[in-house]
Amino acid sequence: MLSPSSKKHKSLEPRLDLFAADSPLQESRRQWVPPRPLVLRGPFQIKESPSGASGKGPSSDVHNAFKHLKGSAAVTLVATAATGASANKQTNGPQNRSGTNSVSNGHAKDPESLRIGIVLSGGQAPGGHNVIGGLLDYLLERRLGSQLIGFKNGPGGILTKSCMDITDTIMAEFRNQGGFHLIGSGRDKIESKEQLTVAASVVKELDLDGLVVCGGDDSNTNAAVLAEDFASRGLKTCVIGVPKTIDGDLKNSQVATSFGFDTACKVYSEQIGNLMMDALSAKKYYHFVRLMGRAASHITLECALQTHPQAAIICEEVHQQDRTLADIVDEIADIVAGRAEEGKNYGIVLIPEGLIEHVPQIGALIAELNELLADVTTDVQSHDAVLTRLSPANLAVFEFLPACTRQQLLLDRDPHGNVQVSRIETEQLLLQLVELELDKRRKEDKFCGKFAGLTHYFGYEGRCSFPTNFDAAYCSTLGYVAGALVAEGKTGLMATASSLDKPCADWTVGGYPLIDMMCIERRRGKDKPVIKKALVELEGPVFKAFQQMRSKWAQGDCFRSPGPIQFSGPHADAANFTLALELGTVQPIQIV
Amino acid sequence: MLSPSSKKHKSLEPRLDLFAADSPLQESRRQWVPPRPLVLRGPFQIKESPSGASGKGPSSDVHNAFKHLKGSAAVTLVATAATGASANKQTNGPQNRSGTNSVSNGHAKDPESLRIGIVLSGGQAPGGHNVIGGLLDYLLERRLGSQLIGFKNGPGGILTKSCMDITDTIMAEFRNQGGFHLIGSGRDKIESKEQLTVAASVVKELDLDGLVVCGGDDSNTNAAVLAEDFASRGLKTCVIGVPKTIDGDLKNSQVATSFGFDTACKVYSEQIGNLMMDALSAKKYYHFVRLMGRAASHITLECALQTHPQAAIICEEVHQQDRTLADIVDEIADIVAGRAEEGKNYGIVLIPEGLIEHVPQIGALIAELNELLADVTTDVQSHDAVLTRLSPANLAVFEFLPACTRQQLLLDRDPHGNVQVSRIETEQLLLQLVELELDKRRKEDKFCGKFAGLTHYFGYEGRCSFPTNFDAAYCSTLGYVAGALVAEGKTGLMATASSLDKPCADWTVGGYPLIDMMCIERRRGKDKPVIKKALVELEGPVFKAFQQMRSKWAQGDCFRSPGPIQFSGPHADAANFTLALELGTVQPIQIV
């Protein structure tokens, strides 16, 4: 680690070298150089994609909100011959990375040099440091004398002009490392007029040629807003987005995946695989595992493909089929009962964290509860009074819930008085409901197995792991490309890498207009152009594959244990199944 | 996986090969051959250790309980020249492992052949399959025509004669895999006269030359009981123990470590390291992590050395210093407050699962509560009645606990009516108490930081991971040695490997009398000879090292991220810090 105090360990007695400040893997991953697409290894130029290549483009409503960005085209980086530089040709090939090089050499500014800011926005995702590293590599290799400025602790750091120079020496400590701790992250948005004015004055003051924003759908929507605002003010600062989120819900026809998804799914799948082997060995527990991933169930789906659980609930399916909590409980209880008949009283159930909000029935209950609790004429202290006013349908749902969840719904509210649905431990709730259902069946002589459940929540552990080789390569590529896009004066684009089903060397790279990913959504009573969250497509190849297998997995013991992420050896370079299926390959994707 | 249904996957459309029944790591680990001590690679003979080498030996009380085992000596396997076999010389060198070989070849029994049973007892620990594999290798290489019989689902499988032949073909699927699912495990003991008689008749019926028991302190105590019983009946069946437990509390002067500890600690340390990077990046959470490990804090201590948390509570220290829950809460609150002054409102606290039972104060409260609740003259329905009868000291402790824990103590009782202290989520309890303490300090203007906590429990995930290279090599060595000890007619020994600070090739191996590890303990009102649980030694090198570093770790950001277990690459062969410190080495231990 980087704190000065930790460096002092080395002066302690030799025995303590055993647990030196950094782990061997931290050390060895720093030395690892991710593969890079061939096009980024030599001279290249930026070409606008042929008309229509970027899809049908945004609606006129989106266009109206982004007058200065409309008409911006998708671009691709194309290799050129090593000689004959032209205005839009980036001719410098890569130079060797040197630990002593500084991006800013302290001399007079080279006319070719750039000043680029970078900000990490929202929750951590493995690979963030590699985006920064890739961007720095671009500057070091092609724009000597440039300066890379990291804004601290998220977009709030832009508003407070809290930033730091990122040199190659500093970067060296963070290459291929997990976490966002080089510059931190934060959840602030830059949206109000006042905030936009402050941001504009800061990027102007810092003389930034570009600002690279790593974030999810909301943060990239915000990046488009910044790009539009800077352009409208005539500022030179280009804004380039990079797709970051472990949730995997920022993707579209041009963006194959968001960074961090691959690693996070593999961290969770390791743990789930371990639990499965434990279930199969102890033969006495059902493990109910809640997985991070917000509204979308991509993580749960990928983990299911990786590990073959007895059940995996997919929010999008629950929503589409308007399934009730009782339906879900019945489905799980049926699986448990079916296995019990074969003497198998163990298994794994995967539950996406967004589930509770996606059961339409629960949504209706929450909405009515919130209304009743907000109604000043209701005595909110008297829960009986609230309950007598609930509609019969919602009351029935309420009474279906276990006592502790009912209490939680009534008592545990946010500062605005709203029910805190996200605080409900869905895995506990489902486990209790399944227990009740099985007890009922037992009394009716319909179930004679044993049932003991354990609950788990896997979330934070997956956000800051060392990035997989795939995420490390994907991120440094995106960072490098972001630099090239800024150099070319492109703004309002998201850095992209495509053909990910090929080895990294053959990836194609470029930029895709953020506004082309946008649609109008109603938020807080206002129409707002936003980047659409990509949910699991029930007609897509990933869900279809799961659908084809799940009944086998439910009754069989088809457990699959992916084990810990490997960084060397034969399988270190393989990417996740979701990506492979979506790209239509029949073989696991390998980056080298 | 092995179930017949899962094999059918292969007939599905090619795309589904993407998530074939087994993961690439499951496949590749099967092919890996663990290193083996040189002595086991050629002819060897078994020598009794010089008198006194096995320590001072058991007390006369222990001797009295094991009349047929007393006087058994520790033994060492010593390499011999390749020629000149003698009665106690095991001359066959290793033969190549062949997938088609069966241990039992179906022909008339070879006079040299052996029939050995193996049983896994208690909780899962990574490496169990390798013990079985090592034992099988011994038979395949040196005793052709032998038969290896696995008892299913623990010692209960001996009583019910539930067993299976383990051939090389079957074993091939399980080599270097996590879990115990080849034969399962269970928590039954064979203790009563009736049970011992049944066990004796089963091993006689199966014509077993040996029985290998993999288990923790209790299971190995049980192994000694079986060895004594079989010997007293004049049965030929030798009983050999193998030290298994992730908790790391089965070790002594001759047994350096129990198998599974190395892997489990690394699985937890990976997750803790990830959480640390997350804490350091998000800068807004304290993660309170409870770790498996029962009464002893070895796992927590090793994970602390691996990851450098802000605080790690060690049960043995709490107990020795007679610390109260308030003391512990104060210690954590002091660290939080100290860090807040430097603007650091994040960190990690490690909590051993055995903590709550080790706070003497809580122990006293629980004891009195149990007595009061068992007292038929108390109206147990009326908790007020119980509380009015609590001693003032215990009432004060009770009232210090958060409301939900108080409720849990009174309501949530086991079938015997006892308070279920193990059901208390200690990490939740501590988090709530720290919150209350910080609120109090805030009101007194002694704390002005922010405090937000998240809780985690890491346990089951660590029990069935793929074993590390160290555990894989250690286990197959122990299994191989167990076979050699049976072949030599040794009984009542634990298989051992020593000089673990050297590369695996140079390990010395042998057997150590189980009764020499025993002492008399009072259990359920009776004196009983048992293998002593090894707790953390507060004067030992591991705790001392932690003690030396912990205040630096508390205030600094010395986070260390070990990352996922690697099976190849430069650091794949290193063992844990606890072992290195206990063996007094100054370099990390590497098995090759």
Side-chain angles (χ1 to χ4, degrees):
Chain A
M1 263 299 313
L2 283 175
S3 74
S5 69
S6 68
K7 290 292 174 203
K8 290 181 200 155
H9 293 186
K10 284 173 186 164
S11 65
L12 292 170
E13 61 180 87
R15 166 164 300 174
L16 295 181
D17 278 353
L18 273 177
F19 39 93
D22 286 322
S23 74
L25 201 64
Q26 283 174 297
E27 302 271 10
S28 69
R29 288 307 282 167
R30 279 193 194 110
Q31 308 307 321
W32 187 72
V33 179
R36 186 190 285 181
L38 273 173
V39 63
L40 300 179
R41 298 187 206 167
F44 56 77
Q45 63 183 51
I46 293 193
K47 282 202 170 165
E48 294 201 355
S49 294
S51 162
S54 68
K56 61 185 164 54
S59 70
S60 60
D61 286 340
V62 172
H63 261 168
N64 289 341
F66 295 96
K67 292 199 175 65
H68 295 82
L69 298 184
K70 76 177 172 187
S72 59
V75 299
T76 308
L77 274 56
V78 184
T80 55
T83 54
S86 81
N88 67 344
K89 213 175 277 181
Q90 308 204 353
T91 48
N92 299 341
Q95 301 153 0
N96 279 337
R97 219 150 76 190
S98 147
T100 55
N101 263 7
S102 167
V103 186
S104 167
N105 56 15
H107 300 306
K109 197 183 164 192
D110 186 296
E112 286 272 283
S113 74
L114 296 170
R115 295 175 59 83
I116 303 186
I118 185 161
V119 65
L120 304 172
S121 180
Q124 283 77 248
H129 287 138
N130 280 40
V131 176
I132 306 176
L135 177 54
L136 184 68
D137 288 342
Y138 174 80
L139 296 175
L140 285 171
E141 291 173 4
R142 303 189 189 242
R143 298 285 185 150
L144 267 183
S146 294
Q147 197 151 8
L148 179 59
I149 294 140
F151 288 102
K152 290 189 189 170
N153 303 323
I158 299 176
L159 298 177
T160 57
K161 206 180 145 194
S162 167
C163 55
M164 63 183 283
D165 280 3
I166 300 170
T167 64
D168 198 23
T169 312
I170 291 173
M171 193 67 235
E173 295 278 318
F174 293 88
R175 289 186 186 271
N176 307 308
Q177 307 292 303
F180 276 7
H181 48 293
L182 168 53
I183 55 174
S185 184
R187 296 194 180 272
D188 303 288
K189 293 276 174 296
I190 301 175
E191 289 181 315
S192 71
K193 271 188 186 171
E194 296 71 24
Q195 289 171 325
L196 287 167
T197 305
V198 174
S201 75
V202 168
V203 299
K204 197 173 172 183
E205 205 178 320
L206 289 171
D207 189 27
L208 294 190
D209 299 289
L211 174 66
V212 176
V213 178
C214 302
D217 51 341
D218 280 349
S219 303
N220 274 289
T221 296
N222 202 205
V225 170
L226 284 174
E228 170 68 18
D229 182 77
F230 293 168
S232 74
R233 293 173 198 263
L235 295 178
K236 67 171 177 177
T237 315
C238 305
V239 182
I240 301 296
V242 174
K244 173 235 69 165
T245 168
I246 64 163
D247 303 339
D249 57 4
L250 173 48
K251 58 184 171 185
N252 53 51
S253 63
Q254 302 298 310
V255 177
T257 188
S258 57
F259 80 75
F261 174 75
D262 187 72
T263 307
C265 287
K266 286 172 182 168
V267 171
Y268 304 143
S269 295
E270 174 199 356
Q271 308 302 313
I272 298 165
N274 287 355
L275 288 180
M276 287 180 150
M277 291 299 147
D278 204 62
L280 191 57
S281 303
K283 299 191 183 70
K284 59 183 176 183
Y285 294 122
Y286 274 89
H287 295 273
F288 280 51
V289 182
R290 178 168 48 121
L291 292 166
M292 211 174 234
R294 300 223 177 180
S297 299
H298 299 291
I299 287 179
T300 299
L301 192 52
E302 172 66 22
C303 290
L305 296 179
Q306 292 278 356
T307 62
H308 307 179
Q310 274 56 55
I313 314 299
I314 303 301
C315 291
E316 290 82 350
E317 188 184 28
V318 168
H319 196 84
Q320 188 221 34
Q321 299 184 352
D322 200 6
R323 303 186 74 197
T324 66
L325 208 49
D327 292 337
I328 297 168
V329 169
D330 258 345
E331 178 192 328
I332 299 173
D334 286 348
I335 290 171
V336 171
R339 290 176 63 81
E341 280 175 22
E342 297 172 29
K344 295 187 286 197
N345 295 306
Y346 53 87
I348 304 275
V349 178
L350 302 185
I351 303 155
E353 70 174 352
L355 177 64
I356 196 78
E357 295 169 78
H358 272 72
V359 177
Q361 192 195 34
I362 302 281
L365 168 66
I366 304 285
E368 193 178 2
L369 272 181
N370 278 338
E371 237 169 78
L372 290 175
L373 292 166
D375 181 354
V376 286
T377 65
T378 315
D379 175 5
V380 291
Q381 297 310 312
S382 156
H383 294 139
D384 289 344
V386 172
L387 297 185
T388 53
R389 292 180 59 186
L390 266 183
S391 71
N394 284 336
L395 184 63
V397 175
F398 186 81
E399 287 178 340
F400 179 73
L401 298 173
C404 59
T405 310
R406 292 201 298 257
Q407 274 230 322
Q408 205 175 3
L409 283 179
L410 293 175
L411 292 177
D412 196 7
R413 280 175 286 143
D414 73 12
H416 308 287
N418 286 323
V419 167
Q420 294 208 66
V421 65
S422 66
R423 292 278 285 276
I424 296 175
E425 295 181 345
T426 324
E427 71 282 19
Q428 272 293 350
L429 170 64
L430 272 185
L431 174 57
Q432 285 169 6
L433 289 173
V434 169
E435 267 171 357
L436 291 173
E437 171 63 23
L438 290 171
D439 282 347
K440 203 184 85 187
R441 294 188 188 191
R442 198 189 300 278
K443 280 173 196 148
E444 295 165 356
D445 279 335
K446 290 177 187 163
F447 174 67
C448 58
K450 288 177 187 168
F451 181 77
L454 292 167
T455 59
H456 309 264
Y457 173 51
F458 296 150
Y460 294 91
E461 304 89 331
R463 308 198 310 177
C464 285
S465 166
F466 290 92
T468 55
N469 286 358
F470 171 81
D471 267 330
Y474 186 52
C475 285
S476 46
T477 297
L478 294 178
Y480 201 96
V481 170
L485 295 175
V486 168
E488 212 59 33
K490 297 292 174 191
T491 191
L493 302 184
M494 178 173 282
T496 60
S498 309
S499 310
L500 300 183
D501 52 331
K502 296 183 183 150
C504 178
D506 300 329
W507 289 355
T508 55
V509 297
Y512 186 72
L514 288 164
I515 61 168
D516 284 14
M517 303 175 195
M518 286 181 155
C519 62
I520 301 292
E521 275 188 18
R522 192 118 189 125
R523 292 199 181 174
R524 292 187 199 158
K526 285 176 80 174
D527 280 343
K528 203 186 157 189
V530 297
I531 293 178
K532 206 174 160 56
K533 217 179 255 303
L535 299 178
V536 170
E537 286 181 20
L538 300 180
E539 296 302 319
V542 191
F543 183 76
K544 286 280 179 198
F546 168 67
Q547 207 174 22
Q548 193 176 343
M549 302 304 295
R550 65 176 157 186
S551 63
K552 279 179 194 291
W553 295 345
Q555 292 309 323
D557 279 352
C558 310
F559 294 141
R560 183 177 185 279
S561 180
I565 291 169
Q566 297 298 294
F567 296 109
S568 60
H571 314 291
D573 297 316
N576 60 82
F577 293 149
T578 299
L579 187 61
L581 287 164
E582 286 180 342
L583 295 178
T585 64
V586 292
Q587 289 299 319
I589 291 175
Q590 298 272 348
I591 60 167
V592 287
Chain B
M1 261 302 312
L2 281 177
S3 72
S5 68
S6 68
K7 290 292 173 203
K8 290 181 199 153
H9 295 185
K10 284 172 186 167
S11 65
L12 291 170
E13 60 179 89
R15 164 163 303 172
L16 296 180
D17 279 354
L18 272 177
F19 38 95
D22 286 323
S23 74
L25 202 64
Q26 283 175 297
E27 301 271 9
S28 68
R29 289 306 284 168
R30 277 193 196 113
Q31 308 306 321
W32 187 73
V33 179
R36 186 192 285 182
L38 273 174
V39 63
L40 300 180
R41 299 186 206 167
F44 56 78
Q45 64 182 52
I46 292 193
K47 282 203 171 166
E48 295 202 354
S49 294
S51 162
S54 68
K56 61 184 165 55
S59 71
S60 60
D61 286 338
V62 173
H63 262 167
N64 289 341
F66 295 96
K67 293 197 174 69
H68 295 83
L69 298 184
K70 76 177 173 188
S72 59
V75 299
T76 307
L77 274 56
V78 183
T80 55
T83 54
S86 82
N88 68 341
K89 211 173 282 181
Q90 307 204 352
T91 49
N92 299 343
Q95 299 154 1
N96 280 336
R97 218 150 75 190
S98 147
T100 55
N101 264 5
S102 167
V103 186
S104 166
N105 55 16
H107 300 304
K109 198 183 164 194
D110 188 295
E112 286 272 284
S113 73
L114 295 170
R115 295 174 59 83
I116 303 186
I118 186 162
V119 65
L120 303 173
S121 180
Q124 283 78 247
H129 287 138
N130 280 39
V131 177
I132 306 175
L135 178 53
L136 184 68
D137 288 342
Y138 174 80
L139 295 175
L140 285 171
E141 291 173 4
R142 301 186 190 247
R143 296 286 183 148
L144 267 183
S146 293
Q147 196 151 7
L148 179 59
I149 294 140
F151 287 103
K152 290 188 188 171
N153 304 323
I158 299 176
L159 298 177
T160 57
K161 207 181 143 194
S162 166
C163 56
M164 63 184 284
D165 280 3
I166 300 171
T167 64
D168 198 24
T169 312
I170 291 173
M171 193 68 234
E173 294 278 318
F174 293 88
R175 288 186 186 271
N176 306 307
Q177 306 293 304
F180 276 8
H181 48 294
L182 167 54
I183 55 175
S185 183
R187 295 194 180 274
D188 303 288
K189 293 276 175 297
I190 300 175
E191 289 180 316
S192 71
K193 272 190 186 171
E194 296 71 25
Q195 288 170 326
L196 287 167
T197 304
V198 174
S201 75
V202 168
V203 299
K204 195 172 174 186
E205 205 178 321
L206 289 172
D207 190 28
L208 293 190
D209 298 290
L211 174 66
V212 176
V213 178
C214 301
D217 51 340
D218 280 348
S219 303
N220 274 288
T221 296
N222 202 204
V225 170
L226 283 175
E228 170 68 18
D229 182 76
F230 293 167
S232 74
R233 293 173 198 263
L235 295 178
K236 67 171 177 177
T237 315
C238 304
V239 182
I240 300 296
V242 174
K244 173 235 68 164
T245 168
I246 64 163
D247 303 339
D249 57 3
L250 172 49
K251 58 185 171 185
N252 53 52
S253 62
Q254 302 298 310
V255 177
T257 188
S258 57
F259 79 76
F261 175 75
D262 186 72
T263 307
C265 288
K266 286 172 182 168
V267 171
Y268 304 143
S269 295
E270 174 198 357
Q271 308 302 313
I272 297 164
N274 287 355
L275 288 180
M276 287 181 150
M277 291 300 147
D278 204 63
L280 191 57
S281 303
K283 299 191 181 71
K284 59 182 175 184
Y285 294 121
Y286 275 89
H287 295 272
F288 280 51
V289 182
R290 177 168 48 121
L291 292 166
M292 212 173 232
R294 300 223 176 180
S297 298
H298 298 290
I299 287 179
T300 298
L301 192 51
E302 171 68 21
C303 290
L305 297 179
Q306 291 279 355
T307 62
H308 308 180
Q310 274 56 53
I313 314 300
I314 303 301
C315 290
E316 290 82 349
E317 188 185 28
V318 168
H319 195 85
Q320 189 220 34
Q321 299 183 353
D322 200 7
R323 304 186 72 197
T324 65
L325 207 49
D327 292 337
I328 297 168
V329 169
D330 258 345
E331 178 193 328
I332 299 172
D334 286 348
I335 290 171
V336 171
R339 292 176 62 82
E341 279 174 24
E342 298 172 30
K344 295 186 285 197
N345 295 306
Y346 53 86
I348 303 276
V349 179
L350 302 185
I351 303 155
E353 70 173 354
L355 176 63
I356 195 78
E357 295 168 78
H358 273 71
V359 177
Q361 191 196 33
I362 302 282
L365 168 65
I366 304 286
E368 193 179 3
L369 272 182
N370 278 338
E371 235 168 78
L372 290 175
L373 291 167
D375 180 354
V376 286
T377 65
T378 316
D379 176 5
V380 291
Q381 298 311 314
S382 157
H383 295 138
D384 289 344
V386 172
L387 298 184
T388 52
R389 292 180 58 187
L390 267 183
S391 71
N394 284 337
L395 185 62
V397 175
F398 186 80
E399 286 177 342
F400 179 73
L401 299 173
C404 60
T405 309
R406 293 202 297 259
Q407 274 230 323
Q408 204 176 5
L409 283 179
L410 293 175
L411 293 176
D412 195 8
R413 282 176 283 144
D414 73 11
H416 309 287
N418 287 323
V419 167
Q420 294 207 67
V421 65
S422 65
R423 293 278 284 275
I424 296 174
E425 294 180 347
T426 324
E427 72 282 19
Q428 271 293 351
L429 170 63
L430 272 186
L431 174 56
Q432 285 169 8
L433 290 173
V434 169
E435 267 171 357
L436 291 172
E437 172 63 22
L438 290 171
D439 282 347
K440 202 185 85 188
R441 294 188 187 190
R442 197 188 301 277
K443 281 174 194 145
E444 295 165 357
D445 279 335
K446 291 178 187 162
F447 174 67
C448 58
K450 287 177 188 169
F451 181 77
L454 292 167
T455 59
H456 308 264
Y457 173 50
F458 296 150
Y460 294 92
E461 305 89 331
R463 309 199 310 176
C464 285
S465 166
F466 290 91
T468 56
N469 286 357
F470 172 81
D471 267 330
Y474 186 52
C475 286
S476 46
T477 297
L478 294 179
Y480 202 97
V481 170
L485 296 174
V486 169
E488 212 61 33
K490 297 293 175 190
T491 191
L493 302 184
M494 179 174 281
T496 61
S498 309
S499 310
L500 299 184
D501 52 332
K502 296 185 183 149
C504 178
D506 300 329
W507 290 355
T508 55
V509 297
Y512 187 72
L514 288 165
I515 62 168
D516 284 15
M517 304 175 195
M518 285 181 157
C519 62
I520 301 291
E521 274 187 20
R522 192 118 188 124
R523 292 199 181 172
R524 294 188 198 157
K526 286 175 80 175
D527 280 344
K528 203 186 157 189
V530 297
I531 293 178
K532 207 174 162 55
K533 218 180 255 304
L535 298 178
V536 169
E537 286 180 21
L538 300 180
E539 295 303 319
V542 191
F543 183 77
K544 286 280 180 199
F546 168 68
Q547 207 173 21
Q548 193 175 344
M549 302 304 295
R550 65 177 156 186
S551 63
K552 280 179 194 290
W553 296 345
Q555 293 307 324
D557 280 351
C558 311
F559 294 141
R560 183 178 185 277
S561 180
I565 291 168
Q566 297 297 294
F567 297 108
S568 61
H571 314 292
D573 297 317
N576 59 82
F577 293 149
T578 298
L579 187 61
L581 288 164
E582 286 181 342
L583 296 178
T585 65
V586 293
Q587 288 300 317
I589 291 175
Q590 298 272 351
I591 59 167
V592 287

